[in-house]
Every structure is written in structure tokens, then in C-alpha cells.
Amino acid sequence: MIGGALRGLRRQRGVSLKGLAAQTGISQGYLSMVENGKRLLDSTVFIDSIADALRISPAELTGQPVAPLDPSTGGAHAGIPALRIALMGLPAQMLAPDRAPDEPVQMLTARVARANNLYHASDYGTLAAKLPALLSDLRAAADARHGYVRRRILQLLAGTYHPACVLLLKNLGYPDLAYIAVTRAAEVIAELEDAQYMALSDFFTAHVLMVAGSPQQALARTAAAISDLERHGVLGRAPQSLLGELHLISATAITRDKTRSGDARRLDVATHLAEAQRLAQHTGETHDWHLNFGLTNVAIHRVSLNSALGRHGDAVDAGAGLDPEAITAPGRRMAYHADLGKSLARLRGREADATRELLTAERVAPQRLRADPLVRDCVGYLLGRPMAAHALRDLRGLSHRIGVVS
């Protein structure tokens, strides 16, 4: 639990509750309740502030990577050592000595699409097992080709780093490896000399910077990417969908920006959301860049952003009537149900509703839910709240499956 981790890390650093409160601007009473499991620490601004004060990474505070209990999620973590070697850029022969570099581009394209489909399905175990060989084969194929074919393979290589590799590592709690992945992608994209691919690189780098606790650097990246993309022109669905994703990730970064006041965060988030909404009305539901931009994704972000801003009633209102099934990616639908559940948990008398949403999130994408430390903390918090016996029974089952001691 995050509260227990906070108490241990604070004492390890020799910082009192009063001292931590003074350094972060968070009340001593609230911090005490967090440490005792009576309040949730789900504000990313608070998490980043505490991490800064204790001189640790946010991931260390939230307890990532989460120790897996089910075999599928355990398989994802078991695949990390081989993926780490692949990201180190060892020669392809060291990873797959019997493979030839002349695999048809059409087959490589299908493998990249499959990898990204596995990510969006939150099948992390299968994806982690396939990525090392795929990265190795793509690098070998690029080294053996020239001209247009090499350029196409470099695009496929960038499409494998993004999002299959970067977001897998981010969600599993390996921000250092995710940073290596975006760095490798940037090296590939530099050769392409394409403004849209450069903006795509900044989009994924912003994801990693936020996990590392640097939302201001993430915002600087996305602001530059938006400016560059608009300067080169955004005619057509693909560039418009990428621009929309950049506005959404900018809004997410703003929710974590401690230099802005609460009102400024809310207004700036609303501005980026409105721009994303405008773009989505032109693009419709898309799958460009192996992403899922469209009106449904904007609506899902409206729930998550209000939740991140601590506006839990607004998050629940935003989720009313929203049908996430328009997005085929289970991972995005899981995020909607999980964020809605976390906001419902903060509203008195809605504990059973929160449990229902978290159980739905688990059914949609169990591996992703079980890797989320804020969901685990929310489940632990709900176990201490009053609710109907049948809801409590279901919640205890969920807590057992994700490793939360009831």
C-alpha cells in the first residue's frame, strides 16, 4: 500500500510528518491519514511533490514494478531481461543468430501490427515475449536494405518502439527502460527527417517524462511538437489525430504541474481538451500511429483528467452515459472504468459503485489493472469503507487477485 510505503520511506529519510508537510504544502493531518490507510494518495501532484521532498522517484513511492500474482502478468515481467538486452542495441546475431535479415516487408508490417494490438489488448505477457525478436529482426532488416525499403522498415521500427515497447514498460513500472526505448526510437526517427514522426517521438517521450516525475519537461516537449506540427501543416486525418493526442497528453501533464495553481491547471486542461474535441470531430474514430484518437478517447480523457484534478464529482458526471465500447482497445476501456471507479471511491455512499467499476476494469484488461499501483491502493482503501455485504465479498475477491491484504 502507498501509505505504508510513504511511512517507511519518510522514516528512512529521517523526515517528520511536520517536515514533510512543510516541504510539500500538504497538510500534516492528510499525510497522517494517508499513512494510516484512511485517505487515498491518488493525486499525481501530491505524489510528485512527496517524491521530490524525499528525493525518490514517483515509481518508488507507488511501489512499481508491482509483484505479479497471476501467470500472465508474471510472464510480462519475466520477459523484461530479454527486452532489456534488445534495447541495449546488441547486434542482431547475438539475439537471433539463425534469423535472416530478408524477411518480407509485408510480414514485418503484420508483426508490428500484431505487437501493437497485443499492447492495446493489455496482453503484456505475450507482447513482452515477442518484442525482443521483433526489434532484432527489424534492425537486421533495416541494416540490409536501402532506399525506400529501408525507410519503410525504419518507420516500422519506430512503430514498434511506439507504443508497444514504451507504454508496455511504462505501465509495468520500468520508466528507465521506457526512456531507453524512446531514445532508440528518436535515433531511428532522426534518419527519417519527418515532422510527423518527430512529433510522435515527442509524444511518447512526454509519457516517459511524466512517469519520471518531470511534467514540466513533458509539457515543453509537447508544446514544441504542437508548434512544429502546425507549422508543417496538419491537413489530413493522420496529422490531425496526432495533434489531438498531443493536446491530450499536454492536458495530462498539466494536471501534474506543481507550478500552476489549481484554477490555472483546470483552465489550461479545459483549453487542451476543447482543442482535442474540435480535432476529433474532424477525424472521427482513428487508429493512426497505432493509437486510438477520436471522440470516445477524448471523452475517456475527460473522466481521467477530472479525476487527476481531484474533481471527482465532475469525473463521475463526465462518465455518465459514455460508451467506451466505441474504442476497440481493451486497455483504453479499462482506463475509463478504473478512473471512474477511483473517483467513485472518493464520493461518500458510492463505494459499491466504485467496486463495480473496478471489477469491470479487471474483466476488460486484467493485466493492466493489476499493474496499476493506484488501483491497488484504491482497493485497499475501499476495504475499510462501509458497503453492502455482496459488494464487499466481490471486493475481497478482487483484493485477493491483485495481492492486496484485506
Side-chain angles (χ1 to χ4, degrees):
M1 299 291 289
I2 293 177
L6 171 57
R7 181 187 293 110
L9 290 165
R10 176 178 61 77
R11 290 175 175 173
Q12 187 180 66
R13 293 296 195 189
V15 178
S16 66
L17 269 176
K18 182 177 181 181
L20 185 59
Q23 292 182 64
T24 60
I26 305 170
S27 76
Q28 183 175 340
Y30 178 86
L31 290 170
S32 177
M33 286 190 288
V34 166
E35 289 192 357
N36 289 302
K38 296 179 180 179
R39 291 293 296 272
L40 282 172
L41 183 61
D42 55 0
S43 164
T44 50
V45 172
F46 284 2
I47 289 172
D48 289 345
S49 296
I50 292 169
D52 286 346
L54 297 180
R55 303 185 306 283
I56 59 174
S57 72
E60 187 175 355
L61 179 60
T62 57
Q64 288 185 296
V66 173
L69 292 180
D70 59 296
S72 55
T73 308
H77 290 278
I80 293 300
L83 183 52
R84 179 181 288 111
I85 291 173
L87 290 172
M88 291 169 64
L90 293 178
Q93 293 81 359
M94 295 182 65
L95 291 168
D98 297 328
R99 293 179 181 271
D102 56 355
E103 186 173 355
V105 174
Q106 294 88 341
M107 188 173 295
L108 289 169
T109 301
R111 289 175 64 191
V112 172
R114 171 64 173 158
N116 280 289
N117 288 339
L118 286 170
Y119 165 72
H120 287 297
S122 298
D123 188 350
Y124 296 161
T126 305
L127 176 58
K130 289 183 176 296
L131 275 175
L134 178 56
L135 290 170
S136 172
D137 292 348
L138 285 167
R139 285 202 304 267
D143 290 343
R145 312 294 176 86
H146 304 280
Y148 169 79
V149 177
R150 174 178 168 82
R151 181 177 179 83
R152 176 58 187 144
I153 294 173
L154 291 178
Q155 291 173 339
L156 291 174
L157 190 51
T160 306
Y161 285 120
H162 306 146
C165 190
V166 171
L167 297 186
L168 167 76
L169 292 165
K170 168 195 164 186
N171 289 344
L172 288 179
Y174 299 93
D176 51 343
L177 295 182
Y179 185 78
I180 295 174
V182 294
T183 302
R184 295 295 184 211
E187 294 167 357
V188 169
I189 288 171
E191 183 175 339
L192 294 174
E193 295 183 340
D194 183 293
Q196 291 184 45
Y197 274 92
M198 292 294 290
L200 186 70
S201 178
D202 287 331
F203 169 78
F204 284 105
T205 301
H207 274 275
V208 178
L209 288 169
M210 281 196 297
V211 174
S214 301
Q216 290 173 296
Q217 291 185 59
L219 278 169
R221 286 286 191 129
T222 57
I226 289 171
S227 177
D228 289 345
L229 202 55
E230 290 177 336
R231 187 173 67 253
H232 285 88
V234 286
L235 296 177
R237 189 188 67 188
Q240 286 182 339
S241 65
L242 178 54
L243 186 60
E245 290 284 1
L246 284 164
H247 279 290
L248 291 177
I249 194 66
S250 296
T252 303
I254 286 168
T255 66
R256 304 184 65 154
D257 185 4
K258 301 187 295 292
T259 67
R260 285 174 165 84
S261 68
D263 285 341
R265 285 200 298 271
R266 179 176 57 82
L267 291 173
D268 291 344
V269 163
T271 298
H272 282 288
L273 262 178
E275 189 60 19
Q277 177 89 8
R278 182 188 69 80
L279 289 162
Q281 288 170 343
H282 289 284
T283 65
E285 304 292 343
T286 76
H287 298 288
D288 298 299
W289 314 106
H290 298 293
L291 300 172
N292 294 282
F293 182 72
L295 287 170
T296 305
N297 204 1
V298 173
I300 289 174
H301 273 80
R302 197 177 302 279
V303 175
S304 64
L305 291 166
N306 274 299
S307 180
L309 289 168
R311 303 172 66 86
H312 300 291
D314 290 342
V316 172
D317 290 342
L322 172 59
D323 180 13
E325 296 299 321
I327 287 186
T328 58
R332 288 304 301 142
R333 300 201 304 273
M334 172 270 165
Y336 159 74
H337 290 292
D339 286 330
L340 186 56
K342 286 183 286 186
S343 278
L344 284 164
R346 299 294 294 267
L347 304 180
R348 190 172 297 276
R350 304 297 301 271
E351 292 85 1
D353 295 329
T355 298
R356 184 188 65 247
E357 293 297 333
L358 294 176
L359 288 167
T360 301
E362 184 193 31
R363 286 194 298 272
V364 171
Q367 289 187 52
R368 180 163 178 176
L369 177 124
R370 293 166 189 170
D372 188 331
L374 297 185
V375 166
R376 291 163 61 88
D377 210 47
C378 183
V379 168
Y381 169 77
L382 284 170
L383 286 170
R385 301 290 300 162
M387 67 178 75
H390 70 277
L392 183 58
R393 182 178 62 248
D394 291 340
L395 182 66
R396 284 175 175 160
L398 176 60
S399 73
H400 171 74
R401 293 189 294 276
I402 66 177
V404 175
V405 179
S406 60

